[in-house]
Amino acid sequence: MTSYPRVVTKRMEEHPDDSHTIKRYQATGGYKQARRAVRMTREDLVGLVEGSRLLGRGGAAFPAGLKWSFLAPGRPSYLVVNADESEPGTFKDRQLLERDPHQLVEGVIITAVANEVHHAFIYIRGEYAKPARRVQKAVDEAYRERFLGKGIFGSKYDLEVTVHLGAGAYICGEETALINSLEGLRGEPRLKPPYFPAAMGLYNQPTIVNNVETLSNLPHILEGGVDEYKGLGHDVDTGTFLFSVSGHIRKPGNYELPHGITWRELIFDVAGGLREGRQLKTWIPGGASAPWFVPDDHLELPITKDDTAKAGSMLGSGAVVVMDDSTCVVRAAERIVRFFSDESCGQCTPCREGTTWLEMILRRIETGQGRDVDIDLLLDVSDNISVGLAWPPKMTTICPLGPSAVSPIISITKYFKGEIQAHIQRGVCPLA
Amino acid sequence: MSRWRQETRERARQIMARYPQKRSAVMPLLYLAMAEDGYLTEEGMAEVAELVGITPAQVLAAASFYTMYKREPVGRYLITCCTSISCMLLGADDVLHALEDAAGVPHGETDAEGVISVEHAECIGACGGAPALQVNYELIESITPDKARELVQWLRSAHPEVVGTDELQNLFGGSPSFDWAIREDFGAIGPYPAFSPLGTAAPVGGEE
């Protein structure tokens, strides 16, 4: 098997026993870049990150440097780290939080300095108690070394960091919902505009919201420089990308890879292929929100942002969920739609009502109560949530949660219509 | 007048000091209120309201949004079984049924002794170690229906003061999402996350 260069998982790979300690972190070059950043200008730092073309790793792949450049100047500003990882199939940030928390803290310091932030928050989903303990310990250690607090690294720069626990709400991964949550409110997404918290965010002040993996890349961009970082990637997709591979696969796990390899390589070479005697039926290329791929059309496709978008899906949060030929697609779609129905915040009618109806229709098909009109009905309800069923989805709602629930419906009606029809006609799963 | 112990009030003060605005402390204070009463009571929410200077209705509005704030009594051990896509593909529904059967209650409920609550949850971020569950938010990856039954029996007979993820994983788990490698010395003391600023993380084994 080809080996690929590691960036954000290198330390945990080479030092599995103590990659989370400040001792190991510093012994492997840690905090040198944060120390350097404190003495650099905002322009230089933003320029470096813009030059690296680092794309956000939270799912939307928004250029991190561009996001920073939107920051409204001259007012107190905040940094919020989005560690509310909850997209079904995604568990990459958990590994970064648990195994290399100082790498994140260093990324926080660099980002704070670049954006003149003096108070940063790390918002970790409530179910991640162990990762939160690790991050809190790392933050405490960094305070002790005076890498955080008053006058960091002997400079005049002050930086406070608060680790904050969520409480079980997927929608708080949406950045404006996350900000509301951090203000002690219900975690409901805010109306846009303003489109970017960089204009108006936490306490209505300019706020940068970045994902854990995004920030974990920063020390490496500073260390190796823009060209080296770009060289790790593939064309416009610079750097590496963490894939969380799960489902019916021999070797599930997080894999740090460059873009540009094919889906066949990822599923069969890297992740070991399917279980004995099983065939690949379909897979989700980028988290529960993404339309599915099938072997005949997509297995030889290179994994890049553009190729995936052209094929009508996205790499999203990097969650690859593999399903073999034993999978009932009605049941799989029902499970994903149920997720969005459960997690809908309820503000927008198309999402609140639409996801509920989709879930009920799928469940009745699954339990043998399906009707012939149900496939059309699924598509009709979906069309009311996201008009035209286009990709990327059209929005009828404040945030993309509702339109995401349409992805599994589009996928199963496109690739597995016969199976759904058989399910409806026989009143049981045709695979049973 | 506060019902909370001096120690809890001091903890609340420290939590509020971590935020530029008091209201931002609502979420951690709600966990603190749960730890004080075992679940989130009306009195607990009123306490939080007074501390941050908002109305109890505003606190309830926030609290009712999040699934981890339990406004009904829960068991000493809250078993949260993931049934989202990756776990479902690898048999999570059978694990949930085994839990319900062993605990003698359907999911969403607590046994008569108040020891075990069973719930199902959406993705808990352990998809590489599916199917997965948590006990008081401490993770077990690659569990089986049989191991899930054993877990319920073990919690009932051993009654651990602190549940730690390493011990749980060793006793009941299988292959994890990724190599845990590092020993975790802290665990949970109740049905809320074990996190040091909340005072809810205790050393596994009991001694400081």
Side-chain angles (χ1 to χ4, degrees):
Chain A
M1 201 182 91
T2 331
S3 80
Y4 299 100
R6 303 279 159 87
V7 179
V8 291
T9 60
K10 186 166 184 248
R11 188 174 294 101
M12 63 184 83
E13 192 88 7
E14 290 174 356
H15 306 282
D17 298 333
D18 61 358
S19 61
H20 66 304
T21 62
I22 193 162
K23 199 172 155 204
R24 174 59 66 193
Y25 192 69
Q26 289 195 270
T28 47
Y31 286 114
K32 278 190 187 151
Q33 303 310 317
R35 191 185 296 274
R36 225 181 102 209
V38 172
R39 279 139 189 115
M40 287 169 71
T41 64
R42 167 170 160 78
E43 288 69 32
D44 286 349
L45 284 165
V46 175
L48 205 56
V49 175
E50 277 190 306
S52 75
R53 294 194 303 224
L54 171 67
L55 300 179
R57 300 291 199 256
F62 195 83
L66 188 61
K67 204 177 209 180
W68 293 7
S69 72
F70 293 157
L71 195 84
R75 286 193 283 160
S77 51
Y78 296 100
L79 166 65
V80 182
V81 182
N82 189 343
D84 193 47
E85 174 174 75
S86 325
E87 177 86 7
T90 317
F91 50 98
K92 62 176 178 86
D93 290 342
R94 182 162 73 89
Q95 185 163 351
L96 295 175
L97 296 166
E98 280 189 32
R99 302 293 305 277
D100 207 338
H102 283 285
Q103 179 175 253
L104 173 65
V105 173
E106 184 164 18
V108 167
I109 298 169
I110 294 165
T111 309
V113 173
N115 293 288
E116 286 156 26
V117 163
H118 297 284
H119 199 145
F121 300 85
I122 304 176
Y123 187 112
I124 304 180
R125 68 176 299 189
E127 294 88 342
Y128 279 9
K130 179 185 171 190
R133 293 196 290 270
R134 286 271 165 80
V135 173
Q136 183 65 58
K137 187 155 187 271
V139 166
D140 292 345
E141 286 170 340
Y143 266 102
R144 217 167 297 141
E145 297 292 326
R146 298 180 175 270
F147 301 163
L148 293 175
K150 303 271 177 233
I152 62 174
F153 298 104
S155 71
K156 289 196 161 72
Y157 201 92
D158 300 340
L159 176 60
E160 302 297 329
V161 172
T162 303
V163 183
H164 182 92
L165 269 193
Y170 165 73
I171 191 57
C172 291
E174 199 275 353
E175 57 189 10
T176 61
L178 189 150
I179 287 167
N180 272 345
S181 180
L182 197 49
E183 289 187 6
L185 303 168
R186 295 168 71 81
E188 290 164 345
R190 292 178 178 177
L191 270 172
K192 285 98 186 161
Y195 291 99
F196 293 100
M200 193 189 264
L202 185 64
Y203 313 127
N204 289 334
Q205 298 298 327
T207 303
I208 295 291
V209 184
N210 278 141
N211 163 268
V212 173
E213 187 187 341
T214 315
L215 295 190
S216 297
N217 271 289
L218 292 174
H220 306 286
I221 292 174
L222 262 70
E223 189 185 351
V226 163
D227 290 337
E228 187 187 293
Y229 189 78
K230 286 203 283 197
L232 291 167
H234 175 88
D235 195 23
V236 293
D237 299 300
T238 62
T240 59
F241 193 80
L242 269 176
F243 292 90
S244 303
V245 185
S246 68
H248 295 138
I249 191 86
R250 270 181 213 263
K251 286 159 51 187
N254 290 318
Y255 296 99
E256 183 174 10
L257 299 166
H259 292 79
I261 67 166
T262 64
W263 289 102
R264 178 186 295 282
E265 287 172 277
L266 175 63
I267 294 171
F268 288 95
D269 300 342
V270 176
L274 285 94
R275 301 175 300 175
E276 190 66 41
R278 288 292 170 194
Q279 301 292 316
L280 177 60
K281 182 171 189 172
T282 180
W283 72 96
I284 310 175
S289 306
W292 306 0
F293 275 174
V294 290
D296 284 353
D297 297 353
H298 305 115
L299 207 50
E300 310 305 333
L301 209 65
I303 306 179
T304 69
K305 193 173 156 241
D306 285 352
D307 287 297
T308 314
K310 274 186 212 137
S313 192
M314 63 172 178
L315 298 179
S317 56
V320 180
V321 181
V322 177
M323 297 181 237
D324 69 22
D325 53 356
S326 70
T327 310
C328 169
V329 292
V330 175
R331 191 175 157 88
E334 185 269 344
R335 209 44 72 97
I336 292 171
V337 169
R338 188 192 76 184
F339 171 82
F340 290 111
S341 168
D342 273 5
E343 301 294 344
S344 174
C345 81
Q347 284 189 110
C348 310
T349 311
C351 173
R352 183 186 65 239
E353 303 300 319
T355 56
T356 308
W357 277 105
L358 290 178
E359 184 194 351
M360 288 196 289
I361 299 164
L362 284 167
R363 187 162 302 150
R364 85 174 169 224
I365 299 174
E366 204 208 331
T367 54
Q369 312 293 311
R371 305 168 199 173
D372 289 333
V373 296
D374 278 350
I375 295 179
D376 288 339
L377 192 56
L378 283 171
L379 290 167
D380 190 38
V381 174
S382 298
D383 190 68
N384 284 335
I385 304 175
S386 181
V387 182
L389 304 180
W391 187 264
K394 295 259 186 315
M395 302 270 287
T396 54
T397 46
I398 294 172
C399 87
L401 188 146
S404 297
V406 169
S407 290
I409 307 290
I410 294 174
S411 305
I412 63 166
T413 52
K414 184 170 172 189
Y415 300 118
F416 305 104
K417 200 165 186 173
E419 189 181 323
I420 313 171
Q421 279 164 339
H423 215 309
I424 292 171
Q425 278 147 19
R426 293 187 208 175
V428 286
C429 180
L431 302 176
Chain B
M1 201 51 220
S2 178
R3 293 163 48 250
W4 282 359
R5 290 167 296 143
Q6 177 60 33
E7 189 192 330
T8 312
R9 275 181 286 156
E10 174 56 23
R11 176 76 67 183
R13 201 189 53 74
Q14 287 167 5
I15 288 171
M16 286 192 287
R18 290 158 47 90
Y19 297 90
Q21 295 191 10
K22 279 196 290 187
R23 189 166 180 167
S24 282
V26 163
M27 293 183 75
L29 291 177
L30 286 171
Y31 282 131
L32 196 65
M34 278 183 72
E36 185 72 9
D37 293 336
Y39 70 103
L40 191 55
T41 61
E42 282 200 24
E43 293 80 8
M45 284 188 276
E47 198 84 35
V48 172
E50 199 180 318
L51 279 165
V52 303
I54 57 178
T55 67
Q58 288 171 312
V59 173
L60 176 62
S64 60
F65 188 82
Y66 304 93
T67 55
M68 289 170 68
Y69 299 129
K70 306 296 184 192
R71 286 174 294 125
E72 300 285 333
V74 277
R76 178 159 176 200
Y77 308 107
L78 171 66
I79 306 180
T80 306
C81 183
C82 177
T83 53
S84 279
I85 182 73
S86 299
C87 284
M88 182 279 278
L89 290 172
L90 293 169
D93 291 10
D94 294 336
V95 173
L96 181 62
H97 292 148
L99 288 169
E100 293 173 322
D101 191 42
V105 291
H107 65 84
E109 291 189 19
T110 302
D111 65 9
E113 298 76 30
V115 177
I116 310 268
S117 293
V118 177
E119 65 175 8
H120 81 88
E122 297 298 350
C123 189
I124 56 176
C127 324
L133 59 76
Q134 294 187 315
V135 180
N136 294 345
Y137 304 105
E138 299 295 307
L139 186 63
I140 306 177
E141 296 192 276
S142 293
I143 193 154
T144 62
D146 285 345
K147 287 286 182 186
R149 284 173 204 279
E150 280 177 38
L151 167 69
V152 171
Q153 278 143 20
W154 180 76
L155 290 170
R156 280 184 172 153
S157 57
H159 258 280
E161 282 291 321
V162 180
V163 287
T165 192
D166 280 359
E167 185 181 22
L168 292 172
Q169 176 69 16
N170 285 338
L171 289 173
F172 307 104
S175 137
S177 292
F178 49 84
D179 187 4
W180 290 11
I182 307 146
R183 261 183 55 80
E184 173 66 44
D185 297 327
F186 289 82
I189 54 170
Y192 28 80
F195 183 50
S196 50
L198 301 171
T200 50
V204 178
E207 306 101 49
E208 193 73 39

